[in-house]
Amino acid sequence: MKYWLLSFLITLLTFKLSAQNINFDLMSPQPMIQEVYDGSVHIVDLNSDGFNDIIQSGQGEDLSGASARPIVFLNDGTGQFIEKEQNFENYFTLEKIYSADFDSDGDVDILITAINRADLYINDGNANFTLDDSNNLEPTDFGNVIIGDIDGDGDEDVVQFGREMSNKLFNVLHINDGTGSFQSMKNVVFQNLAFSQIAFIDLEGDGDLDVVSSGKDEADVTQTIFYENDGSGQFTQLSSNGIEPFSADQFSVGDIDNDGDEDLLFSGFSDQAMTQTLLYLNDGTGLFEEKTDTPFPDVFAGNNGMFDFDDDGDLDVLIMGSGQFGIPDIYTIIFENKGGNDFIAADTLGGEYIPSFAIGDLDGDGKEDLIIQGFVDDTNVYMNQSTISSNKEIAFIDISVIPNPSSGDVHISMGNKGFESIVVYNAVGQMVYSDRLNVNDQSFFLNMELAEGMYTLLLSGPQLKAVQHLVIQK
């Protein structure tokens, strides 16, 4: 791996760092995974042994010096990663990898898209993947995929934007029947966009998955479009949202100001071709207002994300990419959220260009580690050494979930008042349920339509947290 001292010094001089809680160090020695840029990387438990593994693709070389390809690396529990041979098909460059439990059996399956083909691979639970050649996924160039339960039936559906080999733009809504088979609707739901970015967002806090898309339409006009979900997977395009047209290299969704609704972070180009990074705050009804005084650098050819790196209950911000004039004006900066929409540059890593990244706990210490693969320095693994602290005492409370396993109807007893919210995550870390709680309740009943598998329940309050695993069996 090579280190670009110049870009690091430029970044360090531009953004004065304060002594903060957030700190990442290069893993030493670096794990033996592919030296690549672009592509995809995921941190997820593929063989159900409790340790997070890595699946990775990109442009560069595999461990033998041949061209990079989709590869599974299993975590042996000590932080060492060992390649697990698979029979993946051959893909042209720019393949993208996505992971979710498509067949509702409790383990993580894989979807791979490229210009020559798009495939779903079913996991047997031990990280042995078998091609499901019955799907009708679309090969795509410069496309994007998002995965979530669109119609509220408890399984993982797919929204796909892209460009065919003939340069024709398309979009497809794939509705899962619960087994990994999809009913597909092509070019009937969303507006086609080139160089598209798409994400799920709950615009108005009604608990279903709405969609935001960004890119250029077929007339080369920059667009940012919102689609409201009625809860059954029927979408209506919204006419007003307070966001200026923007061609995003990346955008992220999260409740950055802790007010109970989901906000948006954009990086890319305005419709005047100006490099920008913009934070928009949701008023709770799906109308947004720009937060104009953030310290975030304006970048393109980059990536961004919102994560709670220091476990203090709010979302911090990761910004990667290039300034207006390209290399060496490149950044990888983590901004600590101090609350009240106040952000401070807390850690600067090696600047990257055309990066992809993954967040997950690689060493079992409960902290979110980071893998970045980019054009400047290929693949680097950073371990989270952040000080896990808060300006308030947090008590972790034991809770009772009965029955467990369950079909989805459970009684939860906390024994303490003060919990304000419950969030449920599936095996790949996707939020599948959330609700507000009455702070005076010490127990409540919950009815969830969830597919079979393992879930994590997180209850939170100003001074309380509780975590419990739940098994859904039908």
Side-chain angles (χ1 to χ4, degrees):
M1 295 183 182
K2 51 190 181 296
Y3 297 91
W4 288 57
L5 181 61
L6 177 59
S7 65
F8 177 80
L9 290 174
I10 290 173
T11 304
L12 191 61
L13 290 171
T14 305
F15 292 90
K16 181 180 179 181
L17 301 182
S18 304
Q20 305 300 325
N21 291 333
I22 299 175
N23 178 51
F24 281 81
D25 290 336
L26 274 169
M27 185 177 181
S28 182
Q30 288 280 292
M32 296 293 291
I33 57 178
Q34 297 183 103
E35 288 289 327
V36 293
Y37 70 95
D38 200 15
S40 299
V41 58
H42 292 259
I43 300 173
V44 64
D45 185 4
L46 296 172
N47 58 349
S48 307
D49 64 352
F51 302 111
N52 279 331
D53 310 301
I54 297 171
I55 182 166
Q56 182 193 32
S57 70
Q59 301 188 62
E61 295 182 348
D62 68 11
L63 299 185
S64 70
S67 295
R69 53 196 167 85
I71 296 181
V72 168
F73 297 94
L74 297 183
N75 188 340
D76 68 0
T78 69
Q80 300 299 311
F81 293 86
I82 302 168
E83 181 178 345
K84 177 75 178 287
E85 288 292 336
Q86 307 290 336
N87 292 315
F88 293 140
E89 297 293 322
N90 293 320
Y91 298 92
F92 295 171
T93 57
L94 299 176
E95 72 268 12
K96 300 289 186 182
I97 300 176
Y98 307 89
S99 61
D101 183 9
F102 291 105
D103 58 354
S104 307
D105 64 350
D107 54 39
V108 180
D109 309 305
I110 292 171
L111 188 159
I112 303 177
T113 65
I115 187 59
N116 63 316
R117 59 185 302 138
D119 294 311
L120 176 62
Y121 293 90
I122 300 300
N123 189 351
D124 69 354
N126 294 308
N128 300 304
F129 293 91
T130 301
L131 174 66
D132 176 3
D133 56 9
S134 65
N135 78 80
N136 50 356
L137 300 164
E138 295 280 343
T140 178
D141 187 19
F142 296 105
N144 208 341
V145 165
I146 51 176
I147 300 165
D149 184 10
I150 293 169
D151 52 1
D153 63 352
D155 53 42
E156 302 289 1
D157 309 303
V158 175
V159 176
Q160 186 179 13
F161 277 47
R163 185 178 69 182
E164 298 173 351
M165 193 174 290
S166 64
N167 281 333
K168 185 177 181 179
L169 300 176
F170 72 88
N171 70 83
V172 188
L173 176 59
H174 302 280
I175 299 297
N176 192 346
D177 69 358
T179 69
S181 294
F182 298 97
Q183 177 184 356
S184 302
M185 293 172 281
K186 187 173 183 179
N187 296 332
V188 297
V189 179
F190 307 107
Q191 181 175 335
N192 291 325
L193 295 175
F195 306 105
S196 58
Q197 291 293 329
I198 51 177
F200 287 124
I201 180 172
D202 186 0
L203 288 170
E204 68 283 58
D206 62 355
D208 54 37
L209 297 178
D210 308 307
V211 170
V212 54
S213 63
S214 172
K216 289 185 176 290
D217 64 19
E218 295 181 12
D220 201 36
V221 176
T222 301
Q223 300 279 0
T224 300
I225 306 173
F226 288 83
Y227 301 88
E228 184 177 1
N229 187 349
D230 69 357
S232 68
Q234 300 295 315
F235 291 91
T236 302
Q237 183 172 331
L238 301 180
S239 58
S240 176
N241 51 58
I243 293 181
E244 296 296 323
F246 197 83
S247 183
D249 291 316
Q250 180 62 36
F251 54 76
S252 301
V253 175
D255 184 8
I256 196 72
D257 52 1
N258 268 344
D259 64 350
D261 52 45
E262 294 189 320
D263 310 305
L264 278 166
L265 177 67
F266 289 86
S267 297
F269 290 101
S270 70
D271 59 350
Q272 287 85 35
M274 294 296 296
T275 302
Q276 289 184 303
T277 297
L278 303 175
L279 176 62
Y280 281 96
L281 302 181
N282 189 345
D283 71 355
T285 70
L287 294 177
F288 294 84
E289 182 177 356
E290 183 186 351
K291 174 67 175 171
T292 58
D293 56 349
T294 70
F296 309 142
D298 294 324
V299 298
F300 74 99
N303 216 322
N304 64 52
M306 294 186 274
F307 307 94
D308 187 3
F309 288 115
D310 52 0
D311 197 31
D312 64 351
D314 53 36
L315 295 176
D316 309 300
V317 174
L318 171 66
I319 301 286
M320 292 182 285
S322 170
Q324 185 79 25
F325 302 105
I327 295 174
D329 184 20
I330 54 176
Y331 310 102
T332 300
I333 305 175
I334 298 173
F335 293 86
E336 183 179 344
N337 188 344
K338 306 297 288 185
N341 295 316
D342 180 25
F343 302 92
I344 296 177
D347 201 3
T348 298
L349 312 179
E352 270 304 351
Y353 185 76
I354 321 177
S356 59
F357 73 93
I359 298 290
D361 183 7
L362 293 172
D363 56 0
D365 65 353
K367 302 176 185 179
E368 301 285 11
D369 305 308
L370 175 63
I371 300 176
I372 300 174
Q373 47 192 51
F375 181 77
V376 174
D377 201 16
D378 295 328
T379 303
N380 282 293
V381 179
Y382 295 90
M383 307 308 292
N384 190 342
Q385 308 296 335
S386 301
T387 301
I388 304 302
S389 64
S390 175
N391 57 9
K392 61 188 176 218
E393 287 292 325
I394 299 293
F396 285 85
I397 305 299
D398 290 329
I399 62 173
S400 170
V401 179
I402 300 175
N404 191 4
S406 164
S407 63
D409 297 332
V410 295
H411 179 252
I412 299 177
S413 298
M414 296 90 77
N416 289 72
K417 298 179 180 180
F419 288 101
E420 294 181 338
S421 65
I422 179 171
V423 182
V424 181
Y425 298 91
N426 64 14
V428 297
Q430 297 169 320
M431 186 178 69
V432 296
Y433 179 88
S434 66
D435 201 1
R436 305 295 295 178
L437 301 177
N438 186 330
V439 295
N440 294 315
D441 286 347
Q442 293 181 266
S443 67
F444 62 96
F445 288 93
L446 196 61
N447 177 267
M448 298 178 291
E449 293 293 330
L450 298 176
E452 290 191 343
M454 176 73 76
Y455 295 84
T456 300
L457 281 61
L458 174 62
L459 279 69
S460 298
Q463 296 179 289
L464 298 172
K465 283 189 178 181
V467 179
Q468 181 64 270
H469 294 296
L470 172 65
V471 177
I472 297 296
Q473 295 180 349
K474 301 296 186 180

